[in-house]
Amino acid sequence: MTDLDLLARGELSLHGRLMAASNGTYQGSVSLGSASATVVYKPVQGERPLWDFPDGTLAEREYAAYVVSEELGWSIVPPTLLRDGPLGEGMVQLWIDEVEVGAGETELVDIVPQGRVPSGWVGVLDALDGRHNPVTLVHADTEALRRMAVFDALVNNADRKGGHVLNPGDGRVFGVDHGVTFNADDKLRTVLWGWAGDPIAPDLLDDVRRLADGLAGAFGQELGQLITGVELTATRERCATLLKSGSYPYPSEDWPAIPWPAF
């Protein structure tokens, strides 16, 4: 039985609400026979209205991010689908347990004292913390995060916080919370700006080219059931822009570049 089979057919029960989330977000479990898994459930009725996104569409955008991730072959988004649940239709996603970071170790995205960017890491922004100490926002320089940065540019992720980058400790890196994606306007906000202007690896561009071809055919029709026609056109245009430039994008001057809070 695949994870998607379990998510789709398993009995969904709720354990409790995640109070730190801005929308109605619940931890629960799905069970089917002897199989079970912990999940995140975000019912449509728990979505708060946003001025720049149509009401009641965040769950579909979460699922759209998953299907794009799978079409690319990158498996950035944990297994996700839309289904009915105790509070109505919503997004159900496999829960990812993170590895505990030991003393003296650094998260994949972190804040360190200025002048102490670890080897193999990239500095993003110098700032002052709550105690007015000079600090630097940093992230690891890994292939997995480079893929995630390209993915965020493609889906126009408006909320890639450090806390949305999950490390299960087995070499994989997952991204979660993709409700504010696919807007037709440029809204890319992310903590992963460390490669702005750098060339994108040829193998990643090959995957983007394959996605662009899919968007012009059957996959575009599938994605068009989850986002608007204007947003689908904008997604195709973002593919074309990345393929033409061959480089990681720079932050827009017309939109805050880093989400707040950053974690």
Side-chain angles (χ1 to χ4, degrees):
M1 181 187 302
T2 68
D3 289 330
L4 285 180
D5 287 336
L6 182 56
L7 291 180
R9 298 165 49 206
E11 181 179 356
L12 175 58
S13 57
L14 303 186
H15 301 163
R17 182 170 180 175
L18 304 180
M19 299 307 298
S22 57
N23 294 292
T25 303
Y26 300 82
Q27 186 189 60
S29 61
V30 288
S31 57
L32 183 64
S34 62
S36 64
T38 304
V39 298
V40 174
Y41 167 55
K42 298 182 180 181
V44 172
Q45 71 173 24
E47 296 177 6
R48 295 170 56 187
L50 298 173
W51 68 269
D52 51 351
F53 286 85
D55 292 350
T57 66
L58 304 191
E60 291 180 330
R61 294 169 194 276
E62 295 255 21
Y63 180 56
Y66 169 72
V67 298
V68 168
S69 170
E70 292 302 292
E71 182 74 7
L72 286 162
W74 292 355
S75 297
I76 288 172
V77 183
T80 305
L81 50 70
L82 298 172
R83 60 162 285 179
D84 195 27
L87 299 176
E89 183 180 12
M91 184 279 293
V92 178
Q93 184 175 85
L94 190 68
W95 179 275
I96 301 298
D97 284 316
E98 286 198 272
V99 65
E100 290 188 14
V101 175
E105 296 181 332
T106 307
E107 300 277 2
L108 290 172
V109 181
D110 214 336
I111 292 176
V112 300
Q114 278 187 27
R116 298 185 186 178
V117 177
S119 176
W121 290 65
V122 184
V124 176
L125 174 72
D126 291 332
L128 298 177
D129 67 11
R131 298 182 178 179
H132 300 283
N133 297 312
V135 295
T136 301
L137 174 65
V138 300
H139 60 71
D141 187 1
T142 67
E143 290 185 9
L145 287 186
R146 285 177 178 265
R147 280 195 302 272
M148 187 176 291
V150 176
F151 174 76
D152 285 343
L154 290 171
V155 303
N156 198 16
N157 191 352
D159 196 31
R160 175 63 74 204
K161 293 181 171 70
H164 298 168
V165 179
L166 305 185
N167 176 14
D170 58 5
R172 297 177 297 170
V173 176
F174 290 103
V176 297
D177 285 339
H178 297 104
V180 285
T181 49
F182 295 101
N183 200 296
D185 297 327
D186 180 16
K187 292 186 178 291
L188 181 59
R189 294 195 304 175
T190 175
V191 293
L192 302 178
W193 286 115
W195 306 288
D198 289 355
I200 299 173
D203 61 319
L204 298 184
L205 290 175
D206 288 342
D207 291 338
V208 174
R209 189 171 294 106
R210 181 167 48 80
L211 175 66
D213 291 342
L215 288 171
F219 180 69
Q221 295 178 1
E222 176 185 351
L223 188 62
Q225 301 299 310
L226 301 171
I227 60 178
T228 69
V230 173
E231 291 167 343
L232 180 61
T233 298
T235 303
R236 293 173 180 160
E237 291 173 350
R238 288 192 295 272
C239 286
T241 297
L242 281 183
L243 291 171
K244 181 178 180 180
S245 70
S247 302
Y248 288 88
Y250 286 101
S252 171
E253 296 181 356
D254 302 323
W255 182 256
I258 295 176
W260 185 257
F263 288 87

